Amino acid sequence: MFALGAMLVYLALAFALGLLAGRKRSFWSVSEYAVADRGLGFIVVWFMMGGTVFSAFAFLGGPGMAFSEGAAAYFVPAYLALGILPWYVLGPKVGRIGARKNFVTLGEFVGDRYRSRALTVLIGVISVLAFIQYLTLQIKGMAFIFSILTEGAIPYWFGALLAYGIVVVYVASSGVRGAAWSDVLQGALMLIVAWAVGFYLVYTLHGGPSDMFSAIASERPDFLTIGRDGSPMSSMAFFTVIAVSALGFLMWPHLFTKSYTTTEKRIKLTTLAFPLFGIFLVPVLFVGFAGIGVVAPDALGSSDELLPYLITNELGASGWLYGLIGAGSLAAAMSSSDAITHGGSVSFGRDICGALMPGLSERAQIWIMRLAVVGIGAAAYWLSIFGAAGIIALLVGAYGSIAQFVPAVYGALIWKRGTAAGAISGLVVGIGVNYYYQIVADATPWDMNAGFIGLLCNIAVFVLVSRFTSPVDDALAEEYRRA
Amino acid sequence: MKPSHGRRNATRAYIVFLIAALTLMTVPVFTFADRVEPLVLGLPFNLFWIVLVEAGAFLAVLGFYLFEHGRGGDS
């Protein structure tokens, strides 16, 4: 009961903060809804980026990965830091161009540079599909937490509806400001919970991290290394998955467009925090390592269930711990969901509807975006509760395709000669190759990450086709290159 | 557009730093740090190495920021 109470108190706080954030701001401005009139403060941006990146994956997937795949989970703290570090250079450039040309999406940025509305729409469609997949993962996480920690008192479908319904309402009403301010609460809460739980489990179950890791290493010597015979992951797989994240993580439109929400200095100061976020994640992995030797692998339906399983079966039902973990994990899932839902609504309104119907008034666009929050939310909710195998394969393909925006975006900033034909054909080839290795084929050459192979092919096609097609106006290309 | 008021710009050096961070955390440098013993601060050596690189990356970005923007307040 205490657990339920704590989670409800938390939900009420997040809801109130999200709604209050949008007060006294223009309800009818696309710029306010999408990028907070480019004026968010430093602390808010810091938590917004952190909360957004630190999703249900960190709370459920990270520990599960450490439990079942050992050192392969080291990729989590590594990719988190490396994925955001390029923002220091990329963010201010994108922000300057965006402010001058009044952009609010990634699709607009690329579409304007390559003079191609088709490219904008293509990026918009891939983004919206990928966002829906990302959301279903978060919604499943929220539903799962609710159902386990209330011992089934709140059914799966209702837990998801309650937590995600709140997100939909404050995003639709307050836009990016609602998402940002509730992330401050959510970010602070989940950092505290992650550390408390990680250390608590390690000390109660194993007497401390040294004893725990020594025991694991003597039991399974290569489990905690990369690229040995008995290691869970090869060096090539480890390198390529991190390289793809380092290049492609910022291509997630909800992260990319945060470049438009603030100033150059604040972008740089925010980047500064991410190596620290990476270190903050290490105790979260402790949760997973703590399960080794304590939980039998076949006791879990999937390794994501490790944290709830440990809490219920190994620590006894301590009410405050339940409540704390419940609220912390909800915070992680919700602070990502709000940014993703928001990003999806902006991409849909601007990249798809805006590009296909250029005459759309600002008022119409803002209505489309706010309604898209509800539409995208409903689609993701429906998929996460009922599923649909065919659609899910499509969504997983889109989710893996986000990194394929890399050549078009970075190309815009460094290479004058890139053309729309090059960018589109590269993107299509990259997505096709990624889809083939991710979903159709059983293995990849040299154990490389599917997205990495897609990216290599994408870059090759982008460069080749661009060489043989006529470039855009020189002044325009220079404007992007010198931004 | 050139950055305003002749501020110092370290974009090239920053890109070198990014590549260095990637090689330190993956191949080839990580390969040499990839072992469990000795445990440092309770962490396997390879995990400690990643933490160490991230701490180093924090200091490096701080250095870049101070170099480019000095100690002035937020603008």
Side-chain angles (χ1 to χ4, degrees), chain A residues 74 77-78 81-82 85 88-89 96 209-210 213-214 217 224-226 228 238-239 242 263-266 268-269 272 275-276 278-279 282 286 482, chain B residues 1 7 11 14 18 21-22 25-27 30 34 36 39 42-44 46-47 50-51 54-55 57-58 61-62 64-65 68-69 72-75:
Chain A
Y74 295 176
L82 284 174
L85 284 177
Y88 187 96
V89 176
R96 275 194 291 273
S210 300
F213 285 116
S214 302
L224 293 176
T225 57
I226 299 287
R228 310 271 167 80
F238 190 70
F239 164 66
I242 293 176
T263 64
E264 172 167 0
K265 278 188 174 186
R266 289 178 195 160
K268 291 181 171 175
L269 282 172
L272 181 59
L276 297 182
I279 298 175
V282 170
F286 282 8
R482 297 189 171 279
Chain B
M1 190 172 74
R7 208 196 58 225
T11 303
Y14 192 86
L18 284 180
L22 180 66
M25 277 198 249
T26 62
V27 287
F30 177 77
D34 185 23
V36 179
L39 292 177
L43 301 176
N46 48 10
L47 185 54
I50 288 181
V51 169
E54 295 195 322
F58 169 76
V61 179
L62 185 63
F64 277 109
Y65 182 81
E68 289 191 346
H69 296 274
D74 199 358
S75 63

Side-chain angles (χ1 to χ4, degrees), chain A residues 396-422:
Chain A
V396 170
Y399 186 79
S401 298
I402 292 294
Q404 304 303 326
F405 298 162
V406 163
V409 170
Y410 281 97
L413 296 172
I414 55 181
W415 197 42
K416 263 170 44 170
R417 201 55 192 75
T419 69

Side-chain angles (χ1 to χ4, degrees), chain A residues 91-265:
Chain A
K93 283 177 181 284
V94 171
R96 275 194 291 273
I97 298 171
R100 208 175 324 142
K101 300 187 173 229
N102 202 21
F103 293 157
V104 298
T105 68
L106 185 148
E108 285 177 297
F109 176 88
V110 173
D112 178 74
R113 160 62 180 79
Y114 296 101
R115 287 273 158 257
S116 166
R117 207 182 295 164
L119 195 53
T120 305
V121 177
L122 184 62
I123 285 179
V125 171
I126 296 167
S127 307
V128 171
L129 292 177
F131 276 137
I132 292 176
Q133 168 65 11
Y134 203 155
L135 270 176
T136 54
L137 298 176
Q138 307 300 323
I139 295 174
K140 281 183 183 168
M142 295 187 240
F144 188 63
I145 294 285
F146 251 116
S147 142
I148 290 241
L149 295 185
T150 62
E151 287 155 353
I154 300 235
Y156 198 73
W157 68 269
F158 186 66
L161 189 63
L162 187 63
Y164 188 54
I166 285 175
V167 169
V168 165
V169 172
Y170 73 67
V171 172
S173 71
S174 303
V176 72
R177 226 177 267 277
W181 273 100
S182 63
D183 283 356
V184 174
L185 169 71
Q186 289 159 350
L189 183 66
M190 72 196 175
L191 281 181
I192 296 166
V193 172
W195 277 60
V197 172
F199 281 101
Y200 185 80
L201 281 170
V202 169
Y203 279 95
T204 355
L205 297 175
H206 299 275
S210 300
D211 294 344
M212 177 176 77
F213 285 116
S214 302
I216 297 172
S218 61
E219 189 83 2
R220 298 153 82 180
D222 288 332
F223 190 63
L224 293 176
T225 57
I226 299 287
R228 310 271 167 80
D229 284 342
S231 295
M233 197 179 221
S234 68
S235 292
M236 179 58 103
F238 190 70
F239 164 66
T240 50
V241 72
I242 293 176
V244 166
S245 302
L247 286 166
F249 199 53
L250 285 168
M251 298 301 114
W252 273 100
H254 64 294
L255 300 177
F256 184 89
T257 54
K258 297 297 177 282
S259 312
Y260 303 139
T261 61
T262 189
T263 64
E264 172 167 0
K265 278 188 174 186

Side-chain angles (χ1 to χ4, degrees), chain A residues 449-471:
Chain A
N449 178 277
F452 189 79
I453 307 176
L455 209 45
L456 292 181
C457 300
N458 183 340
I459 293 169
V461 171
F462 173 61
V463 171
L464 203 68
V465 174
S466 292
R467 282 263 169 230
F468 289 102
T469 41
S470 57

